[in-house]
Amino acid sequence: ESLKEARAPLDGMVQRSWEIIASQVSSECMSQLAAVKGVTATYRMTRKPAPTTPSLFVSNILKPLREFVHAWGDRVPTTIKSHKWEATVVIEV
């Protein structure tokens, strides 16, 4: 019983830490979106036809998430995995 009581604050800190990590990874992913703003302007100014295939930057939007999961994914606590933190990052982006 005492161990459960002692563990509760630690669980809260772990959860908060992963919320901060998810927020940081989301911010890195969102920085990739800056290129999106220039796409419409480029096509308007040059009068080129609209693209019919994804721009090259699209595959890079979630690159920070992929890199983080590759480097640290095996260290994600089970309690955090059950909350699907990666989905939180994607939704935020």
Side-chain angles (χ1 to χ4, degrees), residues 10-93:
L10 295 175
D11 288 343
M13 286 191 300
V14 168
Q15 178 67 35
R16 180 64 186 134
S17 296
W18 279 94
E19 288 171 1
I20 292 169
I21 290 168
S23 177
Q24 290 293 327
V25 173
S26 295
S27 293
E28 289 181 35
C29 291
M30 285 188 270
S31 71
Q32 303 294 322
L33 293 173
V36 172
K37 294 179 182 178
V39 172
T40 55
T42 299
Y43 285 94
R44 277 192 207 129
M45 292 187 312
T46 60
R47 298 191 187 273
K48 287 183 178 179
T52 57
T53 59
S55 297
L56 297 176
F57 67 84
V58 172
S59 62
N60 290 327
I61 294 172
L62 295 178
K63 185 177 180 181
L65 175 60
R66 287 191 304 270
E67 289 175 347
F68 185 88
V69 170
H70 179 73
W72 300 97
D74 60 339
R75 295 182 180 101
V76 179
T78 306
T79 56
I80 302 302
K81 285 181 183 176
S82 67
H83 288 103
K84 302 189 185 331
W85 75 275
E86 292 113 322
T88 303
V89 170
V90 173
I91 289 168
E92 194 170 319
V93 172

Side-chain angles (χ1 to χ4, degrees), residues 3-13:
L3 288 176
K4 284 185 182 179
E5 290 176 18
R7 183 179 163 182
L10 295 175
D11 288 343
M13 286 191 300

